Amino acid sequence: METGQREDQRAATQRRRTQLLEAAERVVLRDGPEASMNAIAAEAGITKPILYRHFGDKSGLYRALAKRHTDALLATLRTALDSPGDRRDRVEATLHAYLSAIETRPQVYRFLMHPAETPSDEKGFDVGRHSVPLLRRMGEDLGEVIAERLDLGPDTREVARVWGHGIVGMMYAAGDWWLGERPLSRDLLVRHLADLLWGRLAETGDRAGSRGL
Amino acid sequence: METGQREDQRAATQRRRTQLLEAAERVVLRDGPEASMNAIAAEAGITKPILYRHFGDKSGLYRALAKRHTDALLATLRTALDSPGDRRDRVEATLHAYLSAIETRPQVYRFLMHPAETPSDEKGFDVGRHSVPLLRRMGEDLGEVIAERLDLGPDTREVARVWGHGIVGMMYAAGDWWLGERPLSRDLLVRHLADLLWGRLAETGDRAGSRGL
DNA sequence: GACTGCTGTTACCGCAAGTAACTAGCATGT
DNA sequence: ACATGCTAGTTACTTGCGGTAACAGCAGTC
């Protein structure tokens, strides 16, 4: 039947693609990032070569998979960064947003952060750099926001980028550790991190008998 | 010949082990972490099963390999943390020590930070936790130092751990980004990071026309 | 009817991790 | 002298994964 032109085809292909991605996600969340292509194909009810037609190779599939969550997380953080209140409120809201995200779905988090890549050759340099790891993208984004909103003198852009990556790294490492051990509440963690960013390290006096940090 | 007792045997085994580790290191530094056990064995002039006798499996070998560099780096940082000067000097010295280390031997760094682990089962929980990733160990160590030297009130230990992991993460992410792009000198990078830790984020005024960070 | 472009298949290659079974040297206990 | 035990070493194998032909069926288009 003359159902449609080429657009229908393309749309159908896209739908199939997202179906495959959803199957892949189910498997990855169940088996971890070392899930085999066979397992993913089986979950989707098909066989390997189709996955390869859609995504090129395994890293292509994983990149597509990562992009969805990465975009979602970045949007969430962006919202938090625009939340009402003073600067400290915004920073705490952003930390909360991030920690809440990784706390809610730790498996997704592990997948995004420890992708167990096996690229080896990387012919050319893939123009669409969706593959830029999450940390970098978060760092760059935060750097831009900082540069937009703060006046840090002549090298504002430079400083802002450093801070963006630095703050993101702080959030990342503290979050990773916290997620593993959960030695305190999220509220407290956020407060301590914000205290650190607010210069409490510089203000605090040495402990008696110590040579000072 | 009655060369020796059992101690000689054990010592010889240890020597052999470090020889194998050195061969493995050569290969990993040349081929990256995806080096095959066959390649490593060949470099050492032997065949696979011997590697497996010494290290159990691939991750065992990699853990042993990582431990050497991890210990060395931690010792370096510890020294920097004890360097003379005021607190800011020490912090900057530590940042310099870390950045200098990763700058000097980026391949080692990549190996340590992105080990491409394939554990999958982890039978029991290996008591000797040499495998604790570098970031965690650095964070814990720094946390201890902070708790030793600073008085942060009743929850000093808690706060110190958070800060330890946070600062290490800051150093890590900024260093990783910097190592890839090198957009500024190491000196400047260190200064900006120290500024961040010294509360400049809180002190700086909003940019005109911005809603404030 | 021939062409294109998608869906899907089976059957294979190459290669890496890991294991089984076996041999050879060498120091020790009897 | 002989057996024991411990190490270093081997060849040859199994299993499983990423990835790739080569092929078949089913739309709609010219």
Side-chain angles (χ1 to χ4, degrees):
Chain A
M1 316 85 176
E2 48 80 40
T3 42
Q5 304 76 347
R6 268 171 179 75
E7 286 314 308
D8 283 19
Q9 283 284 31
R10 191 162 295 182
T13 300
Q14 273 304 107
R15 270 202 310 280
R16 194 79 184 102
R17 194 185 150 96
T18 71
Q19 285 175 14
L20 298 183
L21 277 177
E22 279 158 15
E25 176 153 337
R26 259 173 275 140
V27 177
V28 165
L29 258 46
R30 167 161 38 87
D31 299 354
E34 67 276 31
S36 82
M37 292 297 268
N38 259 326
I40 294 174
E43 170 74 27
I46 54 167
T47 50
K48 265 194 302 180
I50 305 178
L51 286 180
Y52 283 94
R53 266 219 273 280
H54 275 276
F55 304 103
D57 62 357
K58 188 169 190 172
S59 89
L61 202 178
Y62 276 29
R63 253 181 285 132
L65 208 49
K67 182 160 173 21
R68 310 171 88 207
H69 293 104
T70 299
D71 290 352
L73 178 56
L74 283 174
T76 303
L77 293 185
R78 202 90 194 188
T79 302
L81 234 22
D82 286 335
S83 63
D86 62 12
R87 190 181 300 166
R88 170 109 186 191
D89 289 336
R90 287 164 206 248
V91 168
E92 293 199 359
T94 307
L95 289 169
H96 263 298
Y98 173 80
L99 294 171
S100 164
I102 72 173
E103 183 183 26
T104 309
R105 309 182 63 185
Q107 326 217 36
V108 173
Y109 165 72
R110 292 248 162 250
F111 169 72
L112 288 178
M113 284 304 187
H114 312 293
E117 36 194 336
T118 321
S120 71
D121 46 3
E122 62 168 327
K123 48 189 85 170
F125 40 24
D126 52 323
V127 187
R129 18 188 80 248
H130 301 322
S131 70
V132 178
L134 176 52
L135 265 190
R136 287 289 178 85
R137 285 187 66 191
M138 289 199 295
E140 287 295 320
D141 274 26
L142 180 56
E144 278 173 28
V145 171
I146 293 176
E148 273 171 26
R149 303 186 183 176
L150 259 64
D151 186 358
L152 293 163
D155 330 296
T156 287
R157 292 203 61 80
E158 191 175 82
V159 180
R161 290 184 84 197
V162 171
W163 285 14
H165 287 283
I167 294 173
V168 162
M170 185 199 78
M171 191 168 78
Y172 157 72
D176 194 82
W177 160 73
W178 173 74
L179 195 59
E181 310 198 6
R182 296 294 187 88
L184 34 43
S185 73
R186 206 172 75 203
D187 265 34
L188 265 177
L189 175 60
V190 167
R191 202 164 322 154
H192 293 335
L193 288 177
D195 280 351
L196 175 59
L197 287 176
W198 253 250
R200 199 174 152 209
L201 172 65
E203 295 164 4
T204 306
D206 290 347
R207 191 177 274 282
S210 142
R211 291 187 312 307
L213 174 56
Chain B
M1 314 87 173
E2 48 80 40
T3 42
Q5 303 75 350
R6 263 169 183 77
E7 287 313 307
D8 283 18
Q9 282 285 30
R10 191 161 296 182
T13 300
Q14 273 303 108
R15 270 200 310 278
R16 194 76 184 104
R17 194 185 150 97
T18 71
Q19 284 175 14
L20 298 183
L21 278 177
E22 280 158 13
E25 177 154 338
R26 259 173 276 141
V27 177
V28 165
L29 259 45
R30 167 160 40 85
D31 299 355
E34 69 274 30
S36 84
M37 292 296 268
N38 259 327
I40 293 174
E43 169 75 27
I46 54 168
T47 50
K48 265 194 302 179
I50 306 177
L51 288 180
Y52 283 94
R53 265 220 274 278
H54 276 277
F55 304 103
D57 61 357
K58 188 169 191 172
S59 90
L61 202 178
Y62 276 30
R63 254 181 284 132
L65 207 51
K67 183 165 172 16
R68 311 172 86 206
H69 293 105
T70 299
D71 290 353
L73 177 56
L74 284 173
T76 303
L77 293 184
R78 202 92 195 186
T79 303
L81 235 21
D82 287 335
S83 63
D86 62 12
R87 190 182 299 167
R88 169 108 186 193
D89 290 336
R90 287 164 205 249
V91 167
E92 293 198 359
T94 307
L95 289 169
H96 263 298
Y98 173 79
L99 294 171
S100 163
I102 73 173
E103 184 182 26
T104 309
R105 308 182 64 185
Q107 326 216 35
V108 173
Y109 165 73
R110 292 249 162 250
F111 170 72
L112 288 178
M113 284 303 187
H114 312 291
E117 37 192 335
T118 321
S120 70
D121 47 2
E122 62 168 325
K123 47 189 85 169
F125 40 25
D126 51 325
V127 186
R129 20 188 79 248
H130 302 320
S131 71
V132 178
L134 176 52
L135 266 189
R136 286 289 178 87
R137 286 188 64 192
M138 290 200 295
E140 286 296 320
D141 274 26
L142 180 55
E144 278 174 28
V145 172
I146 292 177
E148 274 172 25
R149 302 185 183 176
L150 260 63
D151 186 358
L152 293 163
D155 330 295
T156 287
R157 293 202 61 80
E158 191 175 83
V159 180
R161 290 184 84 198
V162 172
W163 287 13
H165 288 283
I167 294 174
V168 162
M170 184 199 78
M171 190 167 78
Y172 157 72
D176 195 80
W177 160 73
W178 173 75
L179 196 58
E181 309 198 7
R182 295 296 188 85
L184 34 45
S185 74
R186 206 172 74 205
D187 266 34
L188 265 176
L189 176 61
V190 167
R191 202 164 321 153
H192 293 335
L193 288 176
D195 280 350
L196 176 60
L197 287 176
W198 252 249
R200 200 175 152 209
L201 171 65
E203 295 164 4
T204 305
D206 292 345
R207 190 178 275 280
S210 142
R211 291 186 314 308
L213 174 57

